[in-house]
Amino acid sequence: MIQTGNQPTKWSPLRIYATYRLLLSALLILLYPALLSPHNPLFYKGLYLGGALSYLLICIAAALWVFYRTQESKQLKFSITACDIIIITVLAHASGGLNSHLTILLVVAVAAGGIMIAGRAGTLIAAIATIAVLYEQIHFSLKHSTNASFTEAGLLGITFFAVSLLSQNIAKQLGESEARASRSEASMAAWQSISHQVIQRMRTGIIVLSPQGELFLANETALKLLGLSQ
């Protein structure tokens, strides 16, 4: 189902996340020489470098798209987050599997998805991350003839869902607080407008001066009494 996008603010959550992705993709490339270690025989330099360079190009294209479009759709947010999960899983696989420290980046992607995408789509992001981790663990164990650590993968999956639900709840509360603040601001503006109209129509002259003696408010009756009315 196609959904219309929302008008983005200057620094909407999607734009903040797009900036984070740019910095992350550059950092992953800078980490490449440090990962070339003889103590890490499970490191696949070709797969890692190709994935990191591809991720950088995708992040640049996505950032240009996000910052120069006037609408932010749920489909765009979902696609960006799902793409991150897939590529980060590939990079983690190239760096030694679930033992790689890159798996923590999956938690960040799931949290971002929960904040930007509410409801079932946000939970689906956590499901995609869980499936990606389980698939990577199975593939890694078959390729290296090792026992699959489904316990670690399962704990990661539980973490993904917990983080997704928590971030969705936080985003919901922040949205409700923002809506209440907007309603209060609109109500205050309406009361100020009504008060101004009442003061202007009073037959009693009213003048309000600042502590420095500057004229702050004067109704029509006061201006007429002072001979200042046009």
Side-chain angles (χ1 to χ4, degrees), residues 1 21 28 30 55 68 99 101 112 114-115 128 135 149 153 156 158 178-179 193 199 224 226:
M1 180 175 61
R21 296 171 81 240
L28 289 173
L30 293 176
Y55 187 46
Y68 287 97
N99 294 326
H101 296 298
I115 292 174
I128 292 174
Y135 177 81
S149 179
L156 269 176
I158 295 173
E178 185 178 355
S193 177
I199 292 173
K224 289 180 180 179
L226 296 173

Side-chain angles (χ1 to χ4, degrees), residues 148-223:
S149 179
F150 291 112
T151 301
E152 186 176 356
L155 289 175
L156 269 176
I158 295 173
T159 302
F160 293 152
F161 280 99
V163 168
S164 176
L165 294 175
L166 179 61
S167 58
Q168 288 184 56
N169 186 46
I170 292 175
K172 181 180 179 181
Q173 292 181 359
L174 291 176
E176 292 175 350
S177 299
E178 185 178 355
R180 286 195 296 268
S182 298
R183 288 195 297 268
S184 298
E185 184 178 352
S187 178
M188 184 175 295
W191 277 111
Q192 289 178 347
S193 177
I194 293 173
S195 300
H196 180 75
Q197 293 179 21
V198 170
I199 292 173
Q200 289 297 330
R201 295 179 181 180
M202 291 178 65
R203 295 183 178 181
T204 302
I206 296 178
I207 296 177
V208 180
L209 300 176
S210 68
Q212 291 76 26
E214 299 176 351
L215 181 63
F216 181 74
L217 174 66
N219 63 357
E220 290 293 335
T221 303
L223 294 177

Side-chain angles (χ1 to χ4, degrees), residues 80-159:
I80 287 177
T81 312
C83 175
D84 283 2
I85 290 173
I86 294 172
I87 295 181
I88 291 173
T89 302
V90 171
L91 294 177
H93 175 77
S95 304
L98 293 185
N99 294 326
S100 169
H101 296 298
L102 296 181
T103 52
I104 192 64
L105 299 177
L106 292 174
V107 179
V108 177
V110 170
I115 292 174
M116 297 187 298
I117 313 168
R120 295 179 180 178
T123 307
L124 181 58
I125 290 295
I128 292 174
T130 303
I131 294 172
V133 166
L134 289 173
Y135 177 81
E136 190 281 332
Q137 185 62 23
I138 294 173
H139 180 73
F140 188 86
S141 62
L142 292 176
K143 189 170 185 178
H144 298 282
S145 300
T146 60
N147 294 326
S149 179
F150 291 112
T151 301
E152 186 176 356
L155 289 175
L156 269 176
I158 295 173
T159 302

Side-chain angles (χ1 to χ4, degrees), residues 11 14-30 52-68 80 84 88:
W11 283 106
L14 180 58
R15 291 185 173 184
I16 294 174
Y17 187 61
T19 304
Y20 156 79
R21 296 171 81 240
L22 278 175
L23 297 176
L24 175 62
S25 59
L27 179 61
L28 289 173
I29 293 177
L30 293 176
L53 291 174
S54 299
Y55 187 46
L56 177 61
L57 295 177
I58 291 173
C59 289
I60 293 174
L64 292 174
W65 182 271
V66 168
F67 279 94
Y68 287 97
I80 287 177
D84 283 2
I88 291 173

